Amino acid sequence: MLINVAETVVADALRGMAAAHPQLTVDVENRVVVRRDAPVADKVGLVSGGGSGHEPLHGGFVGPGMLSAACPGEVFTSPVPDQMVRAAAGVDSGQGVLFVVKNYTGDVLNFDMAAELAEDEGVRVAKVVVDDDVAVTDSLFTAGRRGTGATLFVEKIAAAAAEEGAPLDRVAAVARQVNESSRSFGVALSAVTTPAKGSPTFDLPPGELELGIGIHGEPGRERRPMMTSGEIADFVVDAVLEDLRPTRPVLVLVNGMGATPLLELYGFNAEVQRVLSGRGVAVARTLVGNYVTSLDMAGCSVTLCQVDEELLRLWDAPVETAALRWGR
Amino acid sequence: MLINVAETVVADALRGMAAAHPQLTVDVENRVVVRRDAPVADKVGLVSGGGSGHEPLHGGFVGPGMLSAACPGEVFTSPVPDQMVRAAAGVDSGQGVLFVVKNYTGDVLNFDMAAELAEDEGVRVAKVVVDDDVAVTDSLFTAGRRGTGATLFVEKIAAAAAEEGAPLDRVAAVARQVNESSRSFGVALSAVTTPAKGSPTFDLPPGELELGIGIHGEPGRERRPMMTSGEIADFVVDAVLEDLRPTRPVLVLVNGMGATPLLELYGFNAEVQRVLSGRGVAVARTLVGNYVTSLDMAGCSVTLCQVDEELLRLWDAPVETAALRWGR
């Protein structure tokens, strides 16, 4: 591992992030990443966060057109309410703040507590819980479905609504609509090694894969001998479609878990598009890359989000963050 | 590996790239990636290419403000002259084309042959050979120094000059200036596995690292027991500075080899900045991420490019590609 010691991994990364991105204000001590121009007058703020180890999620999504602030926890560990309250207070313009929370028990509890504390300080808070992973119901750290790739869609699209001046209840409604319109399924081709443990957190022998893996290495649906990229695409896309049953065009996220080369992710995307086309699903936009990762895990996930014209317009709106960036 | 069969890895990736990036014209059969609006009237074209397995280099750098076209070869294998001639003819507006070539024997020979063939077809061609890697002189596939991370700086900055209407000789001069102003050094924390071989191409035991690794796993300077991120930054930055001896501010590329988590790359960047600051080197801009990779290799490299005001202005100019994107 390219680290000093496990204890300083998150603080070291925040210092390095601050040096690379002068458009962010990085509070290393209190572990809050904020867009430099926050609070933006008359705009609803968006705050997210979660365990570290999923980069660029969430710090890489802070900036105009996406998150106002992010709160990184220790690796695979929820941030604490103090971080979230500080972030909310720092980005609130008086229009209130939306918390975007991935559905893990610790995150949900801590964001709930933070919402109460922030409200006590006079910040209006709404919350959306992202739970898009169809692989399993209930998991190691989750009651209900896990929150994974759809977080990117929720953060981007709801923030675009906020950027246009939508009020808090409307921004929250858009976020919930995006979550309800999204489903994901992930696959591991290797285990993940955390800095604290220093060795793989679960056992996945070479030549096998885990279908339905979580982004912390939580068990999935089943383990099988290695499959081809095409066979994996058939399995994964069908698992998502069976649950989502889209009637409109979809946004496609072909996401790498961290250690899978971009060359392979693009090849996998060709197979994902083949399956979608074969099932009669129209593709509106496609994003391929490492966005919601699990440290050094090899593997991939697919997230589909079905969109109407309004959600697609918000998706296409300009965004200017470290990891996601486009203009129109 | 997330593939179908080794034989189709590059073609599969190109099909997936085409589906994800409608702003590119991807000729899968002939293996040429071209920006859709090429040729751009009165603009010098920039064509690069090389073996696949280093993504997003080069296809991810095609678009306004950077490459006009890229020619991907088989994994770790030079593209053939036919690809380069086709690319040159497709992007030439009459103002000529610059070939950006990484210094590997096969690439240099093939781009030389392509330059002759293109000239026969009436396309004026200039060439810059990138040779920034200070780790070793002469290597497995190279006479002289290897071309690695500086390729990104050369392609971005020379293309910005072309975008402003500079003639071919000026664009080539800028490219050469950037190459001469840049030095790199890489480190492997694990070996690389190619699809064709299916197992690591060299032996690097856990708990050891290779200082001075090439982007195809070519041997470096020495092998050592694992070092901390800070110790690696000391060694790598000093190796670069000893050769570059910068007198002006530098652009910093902290590059991941593929499988090293972004969390660790940011932490490593903090150490790189510490060393530069300690050596009195001013940093103008910093880029952190996986840009010039070696499939699933874990590790990193540092490239420094010293810049005057003109090169910095060209670096900051807008760019709109799959992997590098900003406006001003």
Side-chain angles (χ1 to χ4, degrees), chain A residues 1-4 9-10 12-17 19-21 52-53 55-56 75 189 195 226-232 258-271 273 286-288 295-296 299-300 322 325-327, chain B residues 1-4 9-10 12-17 19-21 52-53 55-56 75 189 195 226-232 258-271 273 286-288 295-296 299-300 322 325-327:
Chain A
M1 256 172 289
L2 184 62
I3 65 171
N4 288 315
V9 162
V10 174
D12 288 350
L14 288 175
R15 288 189 296 123
M17 193 168 196
H21 303 292
S52 293
E55 290 67 29
V75 170
L189 274 65
M226 191 56 63
M227 297 157 67
T228 66
S229 170
E231 290 165 349
I232 295 172
T260 289
L262 192 53
L263 184 74
E264 296 179 18
L265 290 179
Y266 274 124
F268 181 59
N269 179 48
E271 299 295 338
Q273 303 284 332
T286 299
L287 190 66
V288 179
L295 290 171
D296 66 339
C300 58
R325 196 178 258 263
W326 57 72
Chain B
M1 258 172 289
L2 185 61
I3 65 171
N4 287 315
V9 162
V10 175
D12 288 350
L14 288 175
R15 287 189 296 123
M17 191 168 199
H21 303 294
S52 292
E55 290 67 27
V75 170
L189 275 64
M226 191 57 61
M227 297 157 67
T228 67
S229 170
E231 291 165 348
I232 295 172
T260 289
L262 191 53
L263 183 74
E264 297 179 18
L265 291 179
Y266 275 123
F268 180 59
N269 180 48
E271 299 295 337
Q273 303 284 334
T286 299
L287 189 65
V288 179
L295 290 171
D296 65 338
C300 58
R325 195 178 260 262
W326 56 73

Side-chain angles (χ1 to χ4, degrees), chain B:
Chain B
M1 258 172 289
L2 185 61
I3 65 171
N4 287 315
V5 292
E7 291 70 24
T8 65
V9 162
V10 175
D12 288 350
L14 288 175
R15 287 189 296 123
M17 191 168 199
H21 303 294
Q23 71 275 29
L24 298 175
T25 302
V26 180
D27 181 339
V28 177
E29 192 184 352
N30 294 299
R31 304 202 172 181
V32 182
V33 179
V34 185
R35 57 184 273 192
R36 188 170 286 283
D37 60 353
V40 178
D42 297 327
K43 193 184 84 66
V44 167
L46 278 91
V47 172
S48 191
S52 292
H54 308 300
E55 290 67 27
L57 180 88
H58 297 273
F61 299 151
V62 174
M66 214 160 164
L67 294 178
S68 312
C71 309
E74 282 297 313
V75 170
F76 292 177
T77 304
S78 173
V80 296
D82 274 3
Q83 291 170 266
M84 302 157 186
V85 174
R86 188 178 295 265
V91 306
D92 182 33
S93 68
Q95 297 300 313
V97 172
L98 177 70
F99 284 170
V100 180
V101 187
K102 299 197 301 301
N103 191 33
Y104 300 98
T105 305
D107 294 75
V108 172
L109 284 172
N110 284 325
F111 270 105
D112 276 349
M113 192 177 303
E116 282 184 33
L117 293 168
E119 298 261 4
D120 288 348
E121 292 188 13
V123 180
R124 279 189 305 138
V125 176
K127 197 185 67 171
V128 59
V129 176
V130 180
D131 61 346
D132 54 309
D133 185 346
V134 303
V136 293
T137 310
D138 301 338
S139 185
L140 276 184
F141 314 111
T142 309
R145 291 198 308 218
R146 301 176 296 219
T148 59
T151 314
L152 183 154
F153 289 137
V154 170
E155 293 177 355
K156 168 67 184 79
I157 294 174
E163 212 77 44
E164 293 182 353
L168 182 57
D169 56 352
R170 170 73 188 141
V171 174
V174 170
R176 287 188 198 105
Q177 183 189 354
V178 174
N179 180 56
E180 285 158 15
S181 305
S182 300
R183 301 288 191 282
S184 296
F185 194 98
V187 176
L189 275 64
S190 78
V192 53
T193 297
T194 58
K197 187 154 188 290
S199 60
T201 60
F202 64 101
D203 181 49
L204 183 60
E208 295 189 17
L209 51 78
E210 173 101 16
L211 294 163
I213 196 77
I215 57 174
H216 314 87
E218 308 97 304
R221 283 191 191 173
E222 56 178 306
R223 194 163 285 192
R224 288 197 189 176
M226 191 57 61
M227 297 157 67
T228 67
S229 170
E231 291 165 348
I232 295 172
D234 279 317
F235 189 101
V236 167
V237 174
D238 280 342
V240 170
L241 290 179
E242 192 174 298
D243 204 288
L244 182 62
R245 302 187 179 281
T247 55
R248 297 191 298 270
V250 296
L251 310 178
V252 180
L253 169 61
V254 171
N255 176 62
M257 289 294 189
T260 289
L262 191 53
L263 183 74
E264 297 179 18
L265 291 179
Y266 275 123
F268 180 59
N269 180 48
E271 299 295 337
V272 168
Q273 303 284 334
R274 171 187 58 75
V275 182
L276 288 169
S277 169
R279 303 292 184 273
V281 178
V283 173
R285 302 284 184 273
T286 299
L287 189 65
V288 179
N290 290 289
Y291 292 104
V292 181
T293 62
S294 183
L295 290 171
D296 65 338
M297 190 192 281
C300 58
S301 63
V302 173
T303 303
L304 302 181
C305 172
Q306 65 171 327
V307 290
D308 55 21
E309 282 184 22
E310 173 66 1
L311 292 192
L312 183 57
R313 189 182 65 77
L314 293 170
W315 172 255
D316 282 342
V319 59
E320 196 179 330
T321 69
L324 215 61
R325 195 178 260 262
W326 56 73
R328 286 292 149 171

Side-chain angles (χ1 to χ4, degrees), chain A residues 127-151:
Chain A
K127 195 185 69 169
V128 58
V129 176
V130 181
D131 61 347
D132 54 309
D133 185 345
V134 301
V136 293
T137 309
D138 301 337
S139 187
L140 276 183
F141 314 111
T142 310
R145 291 196 309 215
R146 302 176 297 220
T148 60
T151 314

